[in-house]
């Protein structure tokens, strides 16, 4: 763990210096990568730590985007001041939804969260006076030259990613985190041991919803225009899951690593093979599930080995 933290600090110093050496195009790519890393890390608290496949967690991303959008356009609140409201909105909605939905398990819970995302999308679509409905919301455009705006969002979303990782780290190391991992391994046994599983997993989803909502709030101001189809995006859920699987759901830094690998590959594939990029990314996800189902961090903890890949393939009965 100490070695991983040291490498992470070096990585953060490097990404802080990068805006002075790279083009605006790569600033945009990295800003988007930070955003997905924040979403994947925040979602991993309920998906990886607790073992509940919240496939529709992007609903909180949309909630955060609309909290920022409505507060900035209707009440003229500054962007930074909207972010705590994003966190609060995501937390409260996740808690309220978690009370009934977290009684479900496995694919039933996953399907229910997808239904929640679609329901949120329809609600926002029909609240025309507040959200603009299908016409969407146009947020105030940030003042300053393009170079300054690029760097502002780069560092802002980098900080949101670091906040997500810090909270994921605190949760992982706490008694609360141990309880979540116990629920993932065997919820009935955890309950017998005295863990209030309903309370713990509901609170875990609340934290996850808050972190994903903050990322949504930043995205809304970065994009300056939102409508239901741009923030309640099913493909974002697929990406988020793929990132968590690729990096490792049972680790702190795994989702961030998965986000960087998948987003950079996606950007290269998108630019080189625009017509088949979806097929290539789908193939990549299948290979991850077959060869490294525990993610890169867990599979290659002791170093890279082809033998581990073959063992994983045999365990998948192929």
């Amino acid at each position: 763990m100490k070695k991983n933290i040291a490498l992470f600090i070096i990585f953060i110093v490097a990404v802080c210096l990068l805006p002075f050496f790279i083009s605006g195009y790569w600033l945009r790519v990295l800003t988007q990568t930070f955003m997905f890393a924040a979403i994947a890390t925040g979602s991993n608290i309920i998906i990886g730590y607790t073992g509940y496949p919240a496939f529709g967690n992007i609903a909180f991303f949309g909630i955060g985007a609309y909290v920022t959008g409505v507060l900035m356009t209707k009440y003229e609140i500054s962007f930074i001041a909207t972010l705590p409201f994003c966190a609060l909105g995501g937390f409260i909605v996740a808690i309220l939804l978690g009370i009934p939905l977290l009684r479900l398990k496995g694919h039933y819970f996953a399907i229910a969260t997808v239904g929640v995302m679609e329901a949120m999308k329809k609600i926002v679509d029909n609240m025309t006076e507040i959200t603009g409905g299908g016409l969407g919301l146009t947020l105030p455009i940030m003042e300053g030259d393009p170079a300054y705006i690029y760097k502002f969002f780069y560092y802002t979303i980098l900080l949101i990613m670091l906040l997500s990782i810090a909270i994921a780290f605190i949760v992982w190391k706490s008694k609360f985190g141990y309880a979540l991992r116990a629920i993932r391994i065997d919820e009935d046994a955890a309950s017998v041991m005295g863990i209030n599983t309903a309370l713990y997993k509901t609170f875990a989803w609340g934290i996850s919803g808050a972190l994903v909502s903050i990322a949504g709030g930043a995205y809304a101001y970065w994009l300056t225009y939102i409508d239901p189809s741009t923030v309640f995006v099913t493909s974002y859920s697929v990406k988020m899951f793929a990132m968590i699987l690729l990096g490792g759901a049972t680790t702190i830094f795994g989702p961030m690593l998965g986000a960087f690998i998948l987003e950079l590959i996606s950007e290269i594939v998108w630019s080189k093979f625009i017509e088949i990029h979806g097929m290539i990314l789908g193939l990549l996800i299948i290979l991850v599930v077959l060869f490294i189902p525990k993610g890169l961090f867990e599979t290659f903890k002791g170093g890279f080995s082809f033998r581990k890949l073959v063992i994983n393939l045999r365990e998948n009965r192929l």
Side-chain angles (χ1 to χ4, degrees):
M1 177 60 78
K2 287 182 180 177
K3 183 182 175 183
N4 288 340
I5 292 174
L7 289 172
F8 180 67
I9 291 170
I10 293 169
F11 165 76
I12 294 304
V13 172
V15 294
C16 285
L17 295 174
L18 272 178
F20 300 98
F21 303 101
I22 59 176
S23 67
Y25 169 78
W26 282 107
L27 271 181
R28 185 192 64 76
V29 171
L30 285 172
T31 304
Q32 184 162 302
T33 305
F34 297 152
M35 185 188 81
F36 276 110
I39 294 170
T41 302
S43 298
N44 198 42
I45 293 174
I46 184 70
I47 295 170
Y49 291 11
T50 318
Y52 275 71
F55 198 79
N57 233 33
I58 289 298
F60 303 114
F61 182 79
I63 289 169
Y66 270 95
V67 168
T68 290
V70 171
L71 290 178
M72 289 190 76
T73 56
K74 307 289 183 185
Y75 301 97
E76 299 182 352
I77 295 176
S78 70
F79 162 64
I80 297 297
T82 67
L83 295 182
F85 290 101
C86 293
L88 185 63
F91 182 82
I92 291 173
V93 173
I95 294 291
L96 293 176
L97 291 172
I99 293 169
L101 291 187
L102 285 165
R103 294 174 185 274
L104 304 172
K105 294 181 181 178
H107 57 279
Y108 296 107
F109 176 74
I111 293 168
T113 62
V114 175
V116 165
M117 187 176 75
E118 289 301 320
M120 289 290 176
K121 189 176 178 180
K122 293 296 180 189
I123 291 170
V124 169
D125 208 7
N126 284 286
M127 295 174 68
T128 310
E129 290 187 3
I130 300 173
T131 64
L135 295 175
L137 283 177
T138 301
L139 281 71
I141 297 174
M142 189 176 180
E143 294 181 1
D145 61 79
Y148 170 77
I149 294 172
Y150 279 169
K151 287 177 183 172
F152 174 82
F153 285 107
Y154 179 91
Y155 287 115
T156 300
I157 298 180
L158 172 62
L159 284 174
I160 292 171
M161 182 191 79
L162 293 178
L163 173 69
S164 295
I165 293 171
I167 291 178
F169 181 80
I170 292 168
V171 170
W172 181 267
K173 288 291 184 182
S174 67
K175 184 181 175 183
F176 175 60
Y178 283 108
L180 296 183
R181 300 203 288 281
I183 291 171
R184 185 192 69 221
I185 294 168
D186 190 331
E187 187 169 343
D188 293 332
S191 181
V192 170
M193 293 298 290
I195 295 172
N196 187 336
T197 56
L199 178 66
Y200 276 66
K201 59 191 183 185
T202 303
F203 195 60
W205 204 17
I207 295 172
S208 176
L211 294 175
V212 176
S213 289
I214 295 173
Y219 180 71
Y221 191 38
W222 183 30
L223 210 62
T224 68
Y225 171 80
I226 55 170
D227 65 15
S229 64
T230 56
V231 292
F232 295 99
V233 188
T234 305
S235 64
Y236 283 6
S237 292
V238 177
K239 268 190 172 182
M240 173 194 75
F241 250 85
M243 289 165 180
I244 293 172
L245 284 174
L246 180 60
T250 57
T251 63
I252 300 165
F253 298 113
M256 184 197 76
L257 177 67
F260 271 80
I261 293 173
L262 202 62
E263 267 303 287
L264 293 178
I265 289 176
S266 176
E267 199 62 31
I268 293 168
V269 170
W270 175 264
S271 61
K272 302 285 183 187
F273 308 101
I274 191 165
E275 293 183 354
I276 60 169
H277 77 283
M279 185 182 73
I280 293 174
L281 289 176
L283 181 63
L284 178 66
I285 293 170
I286 292 170
L287 292 175
V288 167
V289 172
L290 290 177
F291 287 97
I292 49 172
K294 294 181 180 177
L296 290 168
F297 260 107
E298 282 296 307
T299 305
F300 302 121
K301 192 182 288 182
F304 180 81
S305 166
F306 283 109
R307 185 169 171 272
K308 292 178 181 176
L309 298 178
V310 173
I311 291 171
N312 286 337
L313 196 61
R314 284 178 179 167
E315 288 179 351
N316 280 303
R317 298 179 186 280
L318 292 173

